[in-house]
Amino acid sequence: MSSESPQSRSVPTHEADATAAVDLDWLTLDADEEVLWASTPHKSSLVPAFAIGIPLSLFLVGIPILASAYLTYKNTNYVVTTRGLYRKQGIVSRDVKQISFDKVQNISYTQSAIGSSFGYGTVEISTAGGSGVELRFRSIPTPAEVQELISREIERREDTGREQEDDVDDVLDQILTE
């Protein structure tokens, strides 16, 4: 079993306020499952929508752009727990997607020039048997740190699985010896 405490696995320390501010009423956790990280899209990800929407609002075209960007920002949540990854979206209805760590095949992150300037980006998760990217955490704060958190949690789970396999092998060896 890993000697890391849940606090040492959580990311990022300067984003602790983001984790506390996220409404997780929609999330049902198992008894031994805990939230490692939770966030909404970064506030600065609204800048491009405002840059386009405010001038166009003079012609009433920008109002839907601004409303859509704001509602998407307010109604999107991303969560990393000790069991898997969750994304909740939806304004009128709710769409929740969950991927367990044992299905994750690849994790990558990207940052645009604007995202790099403001400190946000996208983490993409591909799964075994899936075609392409199955889950995207769009416009999240510090995407490199979130990618690292997910990678560490996958490695921790793999190490725990190996320890359990070794224990089973030891028990089987003892039975064979008797």
Side-chain angles (χ1 to χ4, degrees), residues 5-111:
S5 68
Q7 289 77 20
S8 66
R9 287 195 316 248
S10 64
V11 189
T13 54
H14 58 279
E15 290 296 327
D17 295 332
T19 300
V22 176
D23 177 23
L24 299 177
D25 290 340
W26 57 272
L27 186 63
T28 304
L29 299 175
D30 293 336
D32 59 342
E33 187 175 14
E34 63 183 80
V35 173
L36 300 176
W37 176 86
S39 186
T40 60
H42 195 278
K43 291 178 184 177
S44 298
S45 66
L46 294 172
V47 169
F50 283 130
I52 293 169
I54 290 175
L56 289 178
S57 64
L58 297 173
F59 305 104
L60 300 178
V61 176
I63 294 172
I65 294 171
L66 293 171
S68 173
Y70 179 74
L71 288 172
T72 300
Y73 164 76
K74 290 301 282 182
N75 294 295
T76 302
N77 292 323
Y78 304 112
V79 179
V80 177
T81 70
T82 52
R83 292 251 172 120
L85 310 164
Y86 298 84
R87 178 193 70 205
K88 190 235 3 147
Q89 294 178 310
I91 297 168
V92 177
S93 62
R94 182 179 293 172
D95 176 31
V96 177
K97 183 156 189 169
Q98 187 267 343
I99 294 178
S100 61
F101 286 122
D102 57 344
K103 293 181 181 168
V104 174
Q105 210 52 46
N106 187 30
I107 311 157
S108 62
Y109 80 94
T110 58
Q111 282 186 292

Side-chain angles (χ1 to χ4, degrees), residues 9 11 36-37 80 145-153:
R9 287 195 316 248
V11 189
L36 300 176
W37 176 86
V80 177
E145 292 180 22
V146 174
Q147 178 196 21
E148 180 62 29
L149 169 70
I150 295 168
S151 295
R152 282 195 317 259
E153 192 60 26

